[in-house]
PDB file of all heavy atoms in Angstrom:
ATOM      1  N   PRO R  89     104.576 122.540 112.834  1.00 77.00           N
ATOM      2  CA  PRO R  89     103.450 121.797 112.245  1.00 77.00           C
ATOM      3  C   PRO R  89     103.927 120.681 111.319  1.00 77.00           C
ATOM      4  O   PRO R  89     104.747 120.895 110.439  1.00 77.00           O
ATOM      5  CB  PRO R  89     102.716 122.880 111.448  1.00 77.00           C
ATOM      6  CG  PRO R  89     103.790 123.842 111.061  1.00 77.00           C
ATOM      7  CD  PRO R  89     104.813 123.806 112.173  1.00 77.00           C
ATOM      8  N   ILE R  90     103.430 119.510 111.562  1.00 82.00           N
ATOM      9  CA  ILE R  90     103.702 118.396 110.662  1.00 82.00           C
ATOM     10  C   ILE R  90     102.383 117.655 110.445  1.00 82.00           C
ATOM     11  O   ILE R  90     101.549 117.576 111.342  1.00 82.00           O
ATOM     12  CB  ILE R  90     104.809 117.461 111.196  1.00 82.00           C
ATOM     13  CG1 ILE R  90     105.245 116.477 110.112  1.00 82.00           C
ATOM     14  CG2 ILE R  90     104.384 116.753 112.463  1.00 82.00           C
ATOM     15  CD1 ILE R  90     106.594 115.866 110.342  1.00 82.00           C
ATOM     16  N   MET R  91     102.192 117.175 109.252  1.00 86.00           N
ATOM     17  CA  MET R  91     100.944 116.509 108.903  1.00 86.00           C
ATOM     18  C   MET R  91     100.788 115.229 109.717  1.00 86.00           C
ATOM     19  O   MET R  91     101.694 114.408 109.772  1.00 86.00           O
ATOM     20  CB  MET R  91     100.943 116.201 107.405  1.00 86.00           C
ATOM     21  CG  MET R  91      99.617 115.734 106.896  1.00 86.00           C
ATOM     22  SD  MET R  91      99.573 115.725 105.099  1.00 86.00           S
ATOM     23  CE  MET R  91      99.400 117.463 104.764  1.00 86.00           C
ATOM     24  N   GLY R  92      99.632 115.073 110.340  1.00 86.00           N
ATOM     25  CA  GLY R  92      99.354 113.874 111.114  1.00 86.00           C
ATOM     26  C   GLY R  92      98.942 112.717 110.228  1.00 86.00           C
ATOM     27  O   GLY R  92      98.543 112.900 109.075  1.00 86.00           O
ATOM     28  N   PHE R  93      99.019 111.511 110.773  1.00 86.00           N
ATOM     29  CA  PHE R  93      98.720 110.316 110.006  1.00 86.00           C
ATOM     30  C   PHE R  93      97.308 110.328 109.423  1.00 86.00           C
ATOM     31  O   PHE R  93      97.093 109.855 108.317  1.00 86.00           O
ATOM     32  CB  PHE R  93      98.917 109.063 110.858  1.00 86.00           C
ATOM     33  CG  PHE R  93     100.362 108.742 111.093  1.00 86.00           C
ATOM     34  CD1 PHE R  93     100.885 108.774 112.366  1.00 86.00           C
ATOM     35  CD2 PHE R  93     101.188 108.409 110.041  1.00 86.00           C
ATOM     36  CE1 PHE R  93     102.219 108.484 112.580  1.00 86.00           C
ATOM     37  CE2 PHE R  93     102.527 108.125 110.239  1.00 86.00           C
ATOM     38  CZ  PHE R  93     103.048 108.161 111.526  1.00 86.00           C
ATOM     39  N   LYS R  94      96.338 110.878 110.147  1.00 89.00           N
ATOM     40  CA  LYS R  94      94.963 110.843 109.639  1.00 89.00           C
ATOM     41  C   LYS R  94      94.780 111.740 108.416  1.00 89.00           C
ATOM     42  O   LYS R  94      93.803 111.592 107.691  1.00 89.00           O
ATOM     43  CB  LYS R  94      93.957 111.193 110.732  1.00 89.00           C
ATOM     44  CG  LYS R  94      93.960 112.626 111.169  1.00 89.00           C
ATOM     45  CD  LYS R  94      92.908 112.847 112.244  1.00 89.00           C
ATOM     46  CE  LYS R  94      92.840 114.307 112.621  1.00 89.00           C
ATOM     47  NZ  LYS R  94      91.785 114.567 113.569  1.00 89.00           N
ATOM     48  N   HIS R  95      95.728 112.658 108.165  1.00 89.00           N
ATOM     49  CA  HIS R  95      95.636 113.536 106.997  1.00 89.00           C
ATOM     50  C   HIS R  95      96.531 113.089 105.839  1.00 89.00           C
ATOM     51  O   HIS R  95      96.530 113.707 104.790  1.00 89.00           O
ATOM     52  CB  HIS R  95      95.973 114.978 107.383  1.00 89.00           C
ATOM     53  CG  HIS R  95      94.950 115.569 108.291  1.00 89.00           C
ATOM     54  ND1 HIS R  95      95.203 115.811 109.622  1.00 89.00           N
ATOM     55  CD2 HIS R  95      93.677 115.920 108.078  1.00 89.00           C
ATOM     56  CE1 HIS R  95      94.119 116.304 110.179  1.00 89.00           C
ATOM     57  NE2 HIS R  95      93.170 116.375 109.265  1.00 89.00           N
ATOM     58  N   LEU R  96      97.319 112.048 106.069  1.00 91.00           N
ATOM     59  CA  LEU R  96      98.192 111.567 104.996  1.00 91.00           C
ATOM     60  C   LEU R  96      97.370 110.829 103.947  1.00 91.00           C
ATOM     61  O   LEU R  96      96.474 110.055 104.273  1.00 91.00           O
ATOM     62  CB  LEU R  96      99.265 110.632 105.543  1.00 91.00           C
ATOM     63  CG  LEU R  96     100.418 111.305 106.262  1.00 91.00           C
ATOM     64  CD1 LEU R  96     101.350 110.261 106.856  1.00 91.00           C
ATOM     65  CD2 LEU R  96     101.177 112.222 105.326  1.00 91.00           C
ATOM     66  N   PRO R  97      97.701 111.051 102.685  1.00 93.00           N
ATOM     67  CA  PRO R  97      96.989 110.357 101.607  1.00 93.00           C
ATOM     68  C   PRO R  97      97.564 108.960 101.401  1.00 93.00           C
ATOM     69  O   PRO R  97      98.565 108.580 102.004  1.00 93.00           O
ATOM     70  CB  PRO R  97      97.316 111.234 100.396  1.00 93.00           C
ATOM     71  CG  PRO R  97      98.709 111.707 100.689  1.00 93.00           C
ATOM     72  CD  PRO R  97      98.720 111.971 102.175  1.00 93.00           C
ATOM     73  N   ALA R  98      96.930 108.242 100.503  1.00 93.00           N
ATOM     74  CA  ALA R  98      97.517 106.987 100.033  1.00 93.00           C
ATOM     75  C   ALA R  98      98.799 107.345  99.286  1.00 93.00           C
ATOM     76  O   ALA R  98      98.827 108.286  98.494  1.00 93.00           O
ATOM     77  CB  ALA R  98      96.541 106.274  99.101  1.00 93.00           C
ATOM     78  N   ILE R  99      99.869 106.624  99.570  1.00 96.00           N
ATOM     79  CA  ILE R  99     101.170 106.875  98.935  1.00 96.00           C
ATOM     80  C   ILE R  99     101.627 105.579  98.288  1.00 96.00           C
ATOM     81  O   ILE R  99     101.821 104.576  98.969  1.00 96.00           O
ATOM     82  CB  ILE R  99     102.225 107.346  99.957  1.00 96.00           C
ATOM     83  CG1 ILE R  99     101.758 108.599 100.685  1.00 96.00           C
ATOM     84  CG2 ILE R  99     103.571 107.566  99.272  1.00 96.00           C
ATOM     85  CD1 ILE R  99     102.585 108.948 101.908  1.00 96.00           C
ATOM     86  N   ASP R 100     101.764 105.603  96.966  1.00 97.00           N
ATOM     87  CA  ASP R 100     102.277 104.449  96.235  1.00 97.00           C
ATOM     88  C   ASP R 100     103.699 104.760  95.798  1.00 97.00           C
ATOM     89  O   ASP R 100     103.958 105.839  95.261  1.00 97.00           O
ATOM     90  CB  ASP R 100     101.426 104.162  94.995  1.00 97.00           C
ATOM     91  CG  ASP R 100     100.010 103.759  95.341  1.00 97.00           C
ATOM     92  OD1 ASP R 100      99.824 103.010  96.309  1.00 97.00           O
ATOM     93  OD2 ASP R 100      99.089 104.208  94.632  1.00 97.00           O
ATOM     94  N   VAL R 101     104.601 103.821  96.018  1.00 96.00           N
ATOM     95  CA  VAL R 101     105.998 104.001  95.647  1.00 96.00           C
ATOM     96  C   VAL R 101     106.349 102.974  94.579  1.00 96.00           C
ATOM     97  O   VAL R 101     106.151 101.773  94.771  1.00 96.00           O
ATOM     98  CB  VAL R 101     106.927 103.834  96.866  1.00 96.00           C
ATOM     99  CG1 VAL R 101     108.387 103.965  96.446  1.00 96.00           C
ATOM    100  CG2 VAL R 101     106.576 104.850  97.952  1.00 96.00           C
ATOM    101  N   LEU R 102     106.840 103.476  93.454  1.00 96.00           N
ATOM    102  CA  LEU R 102     107.292 102.609  92.367  1.00 96.00           C
ATOM    103  C   LEU R 102     108.811 102.740  92.257  1.00 96.00           C
ATOM    104  O   LEU R 102     109.326 103.834  91.990  1.00 96.00           O
ATOM    105  CB  LEU R 102     106.647 103.033  91.052  1.00 96.00           C
ATOM    106  CG  LEU R 102     105.126 103.067  91.044  1.00 96.00           C
ATOM    107  CD1 LEU R 102     104.607 103.671  89.752  1.00 96.00           C
ATOM    108  CD2 LEU R 102     104.567 101.679  91.239  1.00 96.00           C
ATOM    109  N   LEU R 103     109.505 101.649  92.468  1.00 96.00           N
ATOM    110  CA  LEU R 103     110.969 101.654  92.389  1.00 96.00           C
ATOM    111  C   LEU R 103     111.400 101.150  91.020  1.00 96.00           C
ATOM    112  O   LEU R 103     110.918 100.119  90.552  1.00 96.00           O
ATOM    113  CB  LEU R 103     111.564 100.765  93.483  1.00 96.00           C
ATOM    114  CG  LEU R 103     111.205 101.148  94.915  1.00 96.00           C
ATOM    115  CD1 LEU R 103     111.807 100.150  95.892  1.00 96.00           C
ATOM    116  CD2 LEU R 103     111.669 102.560  95.218  1.00 96.00           C
ATOM    117  N   MET R 104     112.287 101.902  90.391  1.00 94.00           N
ATOM    118  CA  MET R 104     112.795 101.489  89.081  1.00 94.00           C
ATOM    119  C   MET R 104     113.748 100.308  89.269  1.00 94.00           C
ATOM    120  O   MET R 104     114.619 100.349  90.137  1.00 94.00           O
ATOM    121  CB  MET R 104     113.539 102.648  88.409  1.00 94.00           C
ATOM    122  CG  MET R 104     112.663 103.837  88.093  1.00 94.00           C
ATOM    123  SD  MET R 104     111.318 103.457  86.972  1.00 94.00           S
ATOM    124  CE  MET R 104     112.217 103.003  85.514  1.00 94.00           C
ATOM    125  N   PRO R 105     113.629  99.279  88.450  1.00 92.00           N
ATOM    126  CA  PRO R 105     114.513  98.120  88.572  1.00 92.00           C
ATOM    127  C   PRO R 105     115.855  98.405  87.888  1.00 92.00           C
ATOM    128  O   PRO R 105     116.018  98.166  86.693  1.00 92.00           O
ATOM    129  CB  PRO R 105     113.727  97.012  87.869  1.00 92.00           C
ATOM    130  CG  PRO R 105     112.891  97.736  86.852  1.00 92.00           C
ATOM    131  CD  PRO R 105     112.575  99.078  87.465  1.00 92.00           C
ATOM    132  N   ARG R 106     116.799  98.911  88.623  1.00 92.00           N
ATOM    133  CA  ARG R 106     118.118  99.277  88.079  1.00 92.00           C
ATOM    134  C   ARG R 106     119.227  98.563  88.850  1.00 92.00           C
ATOM    135  O   ARG R 106     120.191  99.192  89.277  1.00 92.00           O
ATOM    136  CB  ARG R 106     118.319 100.789  88.176  1.00 92.00           C
ATOM    137  CG  ARG R 106     117.232 101.608  87.554  1.00 92.00           C
ATOM    138  CD  ARG R 106     117.586 101.948  86.145  1.00 92.00           C
ATOM    139  NE  ARG R 106     116.692 103.010  85.681  1.00 92.00           N
ATOM    140  CZ  ARG R 106     116.086 102.973  84.532  1.00 92.00           C
ATOM    141  NH1 ARG R 106     116.305 101.975  83.705  1.00 92.00           N
ATOM    142  NH2 ARG R 106     115.286 103.942  84.169  1.00 92.00           N
ATOM    143  N   GLN R 107     119.097  97.282  89.039  1.00 94.00           N
ATOM    144  CA  GLN R 107     120.055  96.538  89.841  1.00 94.00           C
ATOM    145  C   GLN R 107     121.443  96.476  89.206  1.00 94.00           C
ATOM    146  O   GLN R 107     122.414  96.139  89.870  1.00 94.00           O
ATOM    147  CB  GLN R 107     119.533  95.123  90.125  1.00 94.00           C
ATOM    148  CG  GLN R 107     118.278  95.099  90.999  1.00 94.00           C
ATOM    149  CD  GLN R 107     118.460  95.833  92.316  1.00 94.00           C
ATOM    150  OE1 GLN R 107     118.117  96.999  92.432  1.00 94.00           O
ATOM    151  NE2 GLN R 107     119.018  95.157  93.297  1.00 94.00           N
ATOM    152  N   ASP R 108     121.556  96.845  87.934  1.00 95.00           N
ATOM    153  CA  ASP R 108     122.856  96.853  87.265  1.00 95.00           C
ATOM    154  C   ASP R 108     123.571  98.195  87.415  1.00 95.00           C
ATOM    155  O   ASP R 108     124.684  98.369  86.921  1.00 95.00           O
ATOM    156  CB  ASP R 108     122.691  96.500  85.785  1.00 95.00           C
ATOM    157  CG  ASP R 108     121.733  97.429  85.059  1.00 95.00           C
ATOM    158  OD1 ASP R 108     120.832  98.012  85.721  1.00 95.00           O
ATOM    159  OD2 ASP R 108     121.862  97.583  83.832  1.00 95.00           O
ATOM    160  N   GLU R 109     122.946  99.149  88.103  1.00 92.00           N
ATOM    161  CA  GLU R 109     123.526 100.486  88.318  1.00 92.00           C
ATOM    162  C   GLU R 109     124.048 100.592  89.745  1.00 92.00           C
ATOM    163  O   GLU R 109     123.596  99.879  90.638  1.00 92.00           O
ATOM    164  CB  GLU R 109     122.456 101.566  88.097  1.00 92.00           C
ATOM    165  CG  GLU R 109     121.884 101.608  86.700  1.00 92.00           C
ATOM    166  CD  GLU R 109     122.881 102.107  85.669  1.00 92.00           C
ATOM    167  OE1 GLU R 109     123.724 102.963  86.025  1.00 92.00           O
ATOM    168  OE2 GLU R 109     122.819 101.640  84.523  1.00 92.00           O
ATOM    169  N   PRO R 110     124.980 101.516  89.994  1.00 90.00           N
ATOM    170  CA  PRO R 110     125.426 101.712  91.387  1.00 90.00           C
ATOM    171  C   PRO R 110     124.294 102.307  92.225  1.00 90.00           C
ATOM    172  O   PRO R 110     123.437 103.027  91.701  1.00 90.00           O
ATOM    173  CB  PRO R 110     126.590 102.702  91.259  1.00 90.00           C
ATOM    174  CG  PRO R 110     126.485 103.295  89.913  1.00 90.00           C
ATOM    175  CD  PRO R 110     125.693 102.360  89.050  1.00 90.00           C
ATOM    176  N   PRO R 111     124.268 102.027  93.534  1.00 89.00           N
ATOM    177  CA  PRO R 111     123.246 102.619  94.392  1.00 89.00           C
ATOM    178  C   PRO R 111     123.459 104.136  94.509  1.00 89.00           C
ATOM    179  O   PRO R 111     124.580 104.595  94.651  1.00 89.00           O
ATOM    180  CB  PRO R 111     123.432 101.909  95.732  1.00 89.00           C
ATOM    181  CG  PRO R 111     124.801 101.330  95.698  1.00 89.00           C
ATOM    182  CD  PRO R 111     125.171 101.147  94.261  1.00 89.00           C
ATOM    183  N   MET R 112     122.368 104.907  94.403  1.00 88.00           N
ATOM    184  CA  MET R 112     122.474 106.374  94.437  1.00 88.00           C
ATOM    185  C   MET R 112     121.841 106.987  95.682  1.00 88.00           C
ATOM    186  O   MET R 112     121.779 108.184  95.817  1.00 88.00           O
ATOM    187  CB  MET R 112     121.809 106.971  93.198  1.00 88.00           C
ATOM    188  CG  MET R 112     122.496 106.619  91.904  1.00 88.00           C
ATOM    189  SD  MET R 112     121.781 107.473  90.504  1.00 88.00           S
ATOM    190  CE  MET R 112     120.277 106.562  90.229  1.00 88.00           C
ATOM    191  N   GLY R 113     121.302 106.170  96.574  1.00 83.00           N
ATOM    192  CA  GLY R 113     120.683 106.695  97.781  1.00 83.00           C
ATOM    193  C   GLY R 113     119.236 107.075  97.559  1.00 83.00           C
ATOM    194  O   GLY R 113     118.802 107.306  96.436  1.00 83.00           O
ATOM    195  N   ALA R 114     118.488 107.128  98.660  1.00 83.00           N
ATOM    196  CA  ALA R 114     117.066 107.450  98.571  1.00 83.00           C
ATOM    197  C   ALA R 114     116.671 108.475  99.624  1.00 83.00           C
ATOM    198  O   ALA R 114     115.510 108.581  99.961  1.00 83.00           O
ATOM    199  CB  ALA R 114     116.246 106.177  98.744  1.00 83.00           C
ATOM    200  N   GLY R 115     117.617 109.208 100.137  1.00 75.00           N
ATOM    201  CA  GLY R 115     117.321 110.191 101.178  1.00 75.00           C
ATOM    202  C   GLY R 115     116.399 111.283 100.708  1.00 75.00           C
ATOM    203  O   GLY R 115     115.222 111.063 100.458  1.00 75.00           O
ATOM    204  N   GLU R 116     116.929 112.478 100.558  1.00 86.00           N
ATOM    205  CA  GLU R 116     116.112 113.642 100.229  1.00 86.00           C
ATOM    206  C   GLU R 116     115.611 113.666  98.796  1.00 86.00           C
ATOM    207  O   GLU R 116     114.776 114.494  98.447  1.00 86.00           O
ATOM    208  CB  GLU R 116     116.906 114.930 100.490  1.00 86.00           C
ATOM    209  CG  GLU R 116     117.220 115.167 101.940  1.00 86.00           C
ATOM    210  CD  GLU R 116     118.468 114.441 102.420  1.00 86.00           C
ATOM    211  OE1 GLU R 116     119.108 113.734 101.610  1.00 86.00           O
ATOM    212  OE2 GLU R 116     118.797 114.556 103.598  1.00 86.00           O
ATOM    213  N   SER R 117     116.079 112.793  97.956  1.00 89.00           N
ATOM    214  CA  SER R 117     115.739 112.854  96.533  1.00 89.00           C
ATOM    215  C   SER R 117     114.237 112.811  96.282  1.00 89.00           C
ATOM    216  O   SER R 117     113.737 113.493  95.388  1.00 89.00           O
ATOM    217  CB  SER R 117     116.426 111.719  95.771  1.00 89.00           C
ATOM    218  OG  SER R 117     116.066 110.469  96.326  1.00 89.00           O
ATOM    219  N   ALA R 118     113.490 112.051  97.064  1.00 91.00           N
ATOM    220  CA  ALA R 118     112.048 111.951  96.841  1.00 91.00           C
ATOM    221  C   ALA R 118     111.327 113.241  97.201  1.00 91.00           C
ATOM    222  O   ALA R 118     110.197 113.452  96.775  1.00 91.00           O
ATOM    223  CB  ALA R 118     111.463 110.789  97.638  1.00 91.00           C
ATOM    224  N   SER R 119     111.959 114.108  97.964  1.00 93.00           N
ATOM    225  CA  SER R 119     111.330 115.377  98.361  1.00 93.00           C
ATOM    226  C   SER R 119     111.393 116.438  97.273  1.00 93.00           C
ATOM    227  O   SER R 119     110.525 117.309  97.211  1.00 93.00           O
ATOM    228  CB  SER R 119     112.021 115.938  99.605  1.00 93.00           C
ATOM    229  OG  SER R 119     111.931 115.046 100.675  1.00 93.00           O
ATOM    230  N   VAL R 120     112.394 116.383  96.436  1.00 94.00           N
ATOM    231  CA  VAL R 120     112.696 117.494  95.524  1.00 94.00           C
ATOM    232  C   VAL R 120     111.521 117.869  94.605  1.00 94.00           C
ATOM    233  O   VAL R 120     111.184 119.043  94.494  1.00 94.00           O
ATOM    234  CB  VAL R 120     113.985 117.214  94.731  1.00 94.00           C
ATOM    235  CG1 VAL R 120     114.287 118.332  93.763  1.00 94.00           C
ATOM    236  CG2 VAL R 120     115.162 117.021  95.688  1.00 94.00           C
ATOM    237  N   PRO R 121     110.838 116.935  93.932  1.00 97.00           N
ATOM    238  CA  PRO R 121     109.763 117.355  93.024  1.00 97.00           C
ATOM    239  C   PRO R 121     108.435 117.666  93.707  1.00 97.00           C
ATOM    240  O   PRO R 121     107.502 118.137  93.058  1.00 97.00           O
ATOM    241  CB  PRO R 121     109.614 116.171  92.074  1.00 97.00           C
ATOM    242  CG  PRO R 121     110.069 115.000  92.862  1.00 97.00           C
ATOM    243  CD  PRO R 121     111.142 115.506  93.792  1.00 97.00           C
ATOM    244  N   GLY R 122     108.316 117.429  95.015  1.00 97.00           N
ATOM    245  CA  GLY R 122     107.040 117.573  95.701  1.00 97.00           C
ATOM    246  C   GLY R 122     106.370 118.930  95.579  1.00 97.00           C
ATOM    247  O   GLY R 122     105.207 119.013  95.137  1.00 97.00           O
ATOM    248  N   PRO R 123     107.031 120.032  95.967  1.00 97.00           N
ATOM    249  CA  PRO R 123     106.354 121.335  95.873  1.00 97.00           C
ATOM    250  C   PRO R 123     105.928 121.702  94.459  1.00 97.00           C
ATOM    251  O   PRO R 123     104.856 122.281  94.262  1.00 97.00           O
ATOM    252  CB  PRO R 123     107.408 122.314  96.408  1.00 97.00           C
ATOM    253  CG  PRO R 123     108.275 121.481  97.297  1.00 97.00           C
ATOM    254  CD  PRO R 123     108.321 120.124  96.640  1.00 97.00           C
ATOM    255  N   ALA R 124     106.720 121.336  93.460  1.00 98.00           N
ATOM    256  CA  ALA R 124     106.344 121.636  92.074  1.00 98.00           C
ATOM    257  C   ALA R 124     105.118 120.831  91.659  1.00 98.00           C
ATOM    258  O   ALA R 124     104.223 121.351  90.987  1.00 98.00           O
ATOM    259  CB  ALA R 124     107.515 121.354  91.133  1.00 98.00           C
ATOM    260  N   ALA R 125     105.057 119.559  92.063  1.00 98.00           N
ATOM    261  CA  ALA R 125     103.884 118.742  91.741  1.00 98.00           C
ATOM    262  C   ALA R 125     102.637 119.306  92.409  1.00 98.00           C
ATOM    263  O   ALA R 125     101.560 119.357  91.796  1.00 98.00           O
ATOM    264  CB  ALA R 125     104.118 117.293  92.168  1.00 98.00           C
ATOM    265  N   ILE R 126     102.770 119.756  93.659  1.00 98.00           N
ATOM    266  CA  ILE R 126     101.634 120.360  94.364  1.00 98.00           C
ATOM    267  C   ILE R 126     101.193 121.634  93.646  1.00 98.00           C
ATOM    268  O   ILE R 126      99.996 121.850  93.412  1.00 98.00           O
ATOM    269  CB  ILE R 126     101.981 120.634  95.832  1.00 98.00           C
ATOM    270  CG1 ILE R 126     102.222 119.317  96.576  1.00 98.00           C
ATOM    271  CG2 ILE R 126     100.870 121.441  96.510  1.00 98.00           C
ATOM    272  CD1 ILE R 126     102.871 119.482  97.933  1.00 98.00           C
ATOM    273  N   ALA R 127     102.150 122.487  93.284  1.00 98.00           N
ATOM    274  CA  ALA R 127     101.815 123.727  92.572  1.00 98.00           C
ATOM    275  C   ALA R 127     101.132 123.424  91.244  1.00 98.00           C
ATOM    276  O   ALA R 127     100.173 124.111  90.860  1.00 98.00           O
ATOM    277  CB  ALA R 127     103.066 124.573  92.355  1.00 98.00           C
ATOM    278  N   ASN R 128     101.595 122.404  90.538  1.00 98.00           N
ATOM    279  CA  ASN R 128     100.959 122.034  89.272  1.00 98.00           C
ATOM    280  C   ASN R 128      99.544 121.499  89.493  1.00 98.00           C
ATOM    281  O   ASN R 128      98.636 121.783  88.706  1.00 98.00           O
ATOM    282  CB  ASN R 128     101.816 121.016  88.522  1.00 98.00           C
ATOM    283  CG  ASN R 128     103.076 121.639  87.953  1.00 98.00           C
ATOM    284  OD1 ASN R 128     103.126 122.838  87.703  1.00 98.00           O
ATOM    285  ND2 ASN R 128     104.104 120.831  87.754  1.00 98.00           N
ATOM    286  N   ALA R 129      99.329 120.742  90.553  1.00 98.00           N
ATOM    287  CA  ALA R 129      97.986 120.247  90.867  1.00 98.00           C
ATOM    288  C   ALA R 129      97.074 121.406  91.264  1.00 98.00           C
ATOM    289  O   ALA R 129      95.890 121.411  90.908  1.00 98.00           O
ATOM    290  CB  ALA R 129      98.055 119.206  91.979  1.00 98.00           C
ATOM    291  N   LEU R 130      97.616 122.384  91.978  1.00 98.00           N
ATOM    292  CA  LEU R 130      96.816 123.561  92.331  1.00 98.00           C
ATOM    293  C   LEU R 130      96.408 124.332  91.080  1.00 98.00           C
ATOM    294  O   LEU R 130      95.282 124.832  90.993  1.00 98.00           O
ATOM    295  CB  LEU R 130      97.584 124.467  93.291  1.00 98.00           C
ATOM    296  CG  LEU R 130      97.616 123.996  94.734  1.00 98.00           C
ATOM    297  CD1 LEU R 130      98.582 124.843  95.545  1.00 98.00           C
ATOM    298  CD2 LEU R 130      96.226 124.019  95.342  1.00 98.00           C
TER     299      LEU R 130
END
């Protein structure tokens, strides 16, 4: 089971302006706080 497009919410992405820092990647990092945020909203 994967959520279909018609069930996806509006998603806003805010990128921190850190051009003076080394690149740290954007892979799985955005996933990590998700379940906790959902549990807190519940």
